[in-house]
Amino acid sequence: MSEWLPEGMAAEPAVRRPVAFGARLAAAGHATLRLGRAVLDTALPPVCLACRRPVADDHALCVTCWGGLAPIERPFCDRLGTPFSFDLGEGALSAAAIADPPPYDRARAAVRYGDVAGNLVHALKYRDRGEVAALMGRMAARAGRDLLVDADALVPVPLHPRRLWTRRFNQAAAIADVVGRSSGVAVDPFALERVRPTPHQVGLDKGERADNVRGAFRVPAGRKAAVEGRRLVLVDDVLTSGATVAAATRALKRAGAARVDVLVFARVVQGEGI
């Protein structure tokens, strides 16, 4: 008896044949996909995103590299997101946040910057390993849950057009896309633009970094309505001194943003600089 016909009514062979054929076709398709995956895994076995050692699944870390990441969990400074060695209570601020408060409202990072986190960042930024963005974005979305719950938009820190041309993609935008899909918050890649090319920040001290990016960002005239009064989350790969996100925050707040938070994959903790 057919399950979709009333009891006592026989199914005509012409009615049943397409259903059986469809089931056989679907089974054949699944078998083909499994065979294709097996062939691909044999020719190109999955490797760790950080160290390139073989792993069981695509887009994953090996046990050693996963253990080499240092997640930033509570307790941490509510403003800077830097970890505390012991719990000071909800909403506690670090001495650095009190002495020199940043222009952004809050910052969150998934992990401390270290060897494994650095390998992932460099793989995405300099070696065109776009698949790394999926892991970084998922971890950032988890770390930034309290920022994302009422955010209006994600704003990736932009590259200057000249650097975007040579690099071909913006790593901050790649991470923001994953965070957006994970959280349901819209990504606005045009809310902010980089109007002045700046040298790389690596090797500069905090003051030099601030000078390097001063006046480097602005909100385009046609995008001010999309920024004014909105709660925005700036997204980047790494927070080092905070100079870049501070300059970007000032540009957004000059355009009327109600709140600007910062979300990154990794951040440098004091004494662990790059």
Side-chain angles (χ1 to χ4, degrees), residues 110 120-121 124 132-141 175 178-179 237 265:
L120 292 171
V121 169
L124 175 61
V132 178
L135 174 66
M136 295 168 67
R138 289 194 303 269
M139 295 184 71
I175 295 170
V178 178
V179 174
D237 54 350
F265 166 66

Side-chain angles (χ1 to χ4, degrees), residues 202-229:
V202 176
L204 302 181
D205 63 28
K206 185 175 181 179
E208 291 170 334
R209 288 172 184 255
D211 290 340
N212 191 36
V213 294
R214 185 171 288 114
F217 302 98
R218 75 178 176 196
V219 174
R223 300 299 300 166
K224 289 184 178 178
V227 168
E228 188 173 6

Side-chain angles (χ1 to χ4, degrees), residues 56-69:
D57 299 309
D58 287 322
H59 305 163
L61 294 176
C62 68
V63 173
T64 301
C65 288
W66 187 259
L69 288 176

Side-chain angles (χ1 to χ4, degrees), residues 192-193 216-219 227 246-257:
L192 193 65
E193 63 181 357
F217 302 98
R218 75 178 176 196
V219 174
V227 168
T249 294
R250 292 187 184 97
L252 291 169
K253 289 198 169 183
R254 281 196 299 268

